Amino acid sequence: MTKIISMILLVGGVCLNAQVGINTTTPEKELSVNGTMKTSGMVFKKPMEKLGADENYTFIIKSPAPENKITAYNDSFVPNSPAPINLVQFKVTCDPTDKDWVNQFDTKINSNKFLVVISSFGFTQPTRTYSADWLTPVPQIFAYSSGGTWKLKADYQGFSPDSSFPTGVWTLNLLVFDRSYAKDFNSTQSLGTSTTGAAAAPLIQ
């Protein structure tokens, strides 16, 4: 009986050192799965394996419930597939009657899946006002979520391009983050009658 048990342990040890492939005849690791996989837990060996010479990065991200999906992002992505962080540029031509005013531009970016931040912007035409000379044009540029998508607003309120200039064009550069690993915090604070203040509680610490 002892000899039989020893033989089983020996064979088991040999199998553990072999490379096993599921849906692949050329496994690259101890276990290689060509396709999707579902597991109740995942354990990474320590220290984690270093990147290969042809690899730049790899993100492993778990999306929140109810999806609970683990996705590996790396530079083998198809170029048109969303990455964890994306840079999107829109060039929006204004209506000639509205001058520099973009009241609402629907990006069609899913606001439940992605978080949008306007990183920079530009406008092609100079703006002016016929009021007091000391007024300075201040652009109002922001992105907001409405109806499940991200909308953009852009305007020099109280100002407009001179009629002698052609129609203005806004350039809006967006940073688009996958919500699977990005979180946004909203907090409205009031200073009351004071010029100093502090948040009631830290949003991040």
Side-chain angles (χ1 to χ4, degrees):
M1 185 65 179
T2 303
K3 291 182 179 180
I4 295 174
I5 293 174
S6 299
M7 182 62 72
I8 292 173
L9 290 175
L10 178 61
V11 173
V14 172
C15 291
L16 288 174
N17 291 326
Q19 290 183 322
V20 179
I22 299 176
N23 289 337
T24 177
T25 57
T26 56
E28 298 177 359
K29 302 295 180 184
E30 286 83 358
L31 175 63
S32 294
V33 179
N34 180 19
T36 59
M37 180 179 70
K38 183 177 181 180
T39 177
S40 59
M42 183 174 287
V43 178
F44 298 100
K45 63 181 181 181
K46 298 180 181 180
M48 290 189 70
E49 186 176 298
K50 294 181 179 180
L51 293 175
D54 58 342
E55 295 177 301
N56 292 322
Y57 64 88
T58 297
F59 294 99
I60 296 179
I61 298 169
K62 179 180 178 295
S63 62
E67 193 174 27
N68 288 325
K69 180 181 178 183
I70 295 177
T71 305
Y73 294 97
N74 55 47
D75 50 5
S76 64
F77 272 174
V78 177
N80 292 328
S81 298
I85 304 174
N86 306 269
L87 179 61
V88 179
Q89 184 181 87
F90 285 103
K91 290 185 179 293
V92 183
T93 302
C94 298
D95 186 293
T97 59
D98 289 329
K99 307 296 185 181
D100 63 315
W101 184 33
V102 177
N103 183 42
Q104 176 181 288
F105 178 79
D106 191 350
T107 66
K108 301 293 186 181
I109 297 173
N110 188 331
S111 58
N112 295 314
K113 185 176 180 182
F114 296 101
L115 177 64
V116 167
V117 176
I118 298 178
S119 61
S120 61
F121 65 89
F123 188 62
T124 55
Q125 310 301 345
T127 58
R128 60 175 296 180
T129 179
Y130 294 96
S131 301
D133 293 337
W134 50 265
L135 291 177
T136 301
V138 178
Q140 295 186 351
I141 315 290
F142 59 93
Y144 63 99
S145 173
S146 175
T149 60
W150 283 99
K151 312 295 195 302
L152 303 177
K153 220 170 180 102
D155 183 34
Y156 283 100
Q157 189 171 358
F159 293 75
S160 64
D162 191 282
S163 58
S164 61
F165 288 96
T167 304
V169 178
W170 286 99
T171 298
L172 302 170
N173 295 312
L174 313 181
L175 284 174
V176 183
F177 300 86
D178 191 324
R179 284 190 184 272
S180 297
Y181 83 113
K183 185 177 291 186
D184 58 321
F185 297 87
N186 296 307
S187 178
T188 302
Q189 304 288 330
S190 175
L191 289 178
T193 58
S194 175
T195 56
T196 61
L203 296 178
I204 300 178
Q205 62 178 350

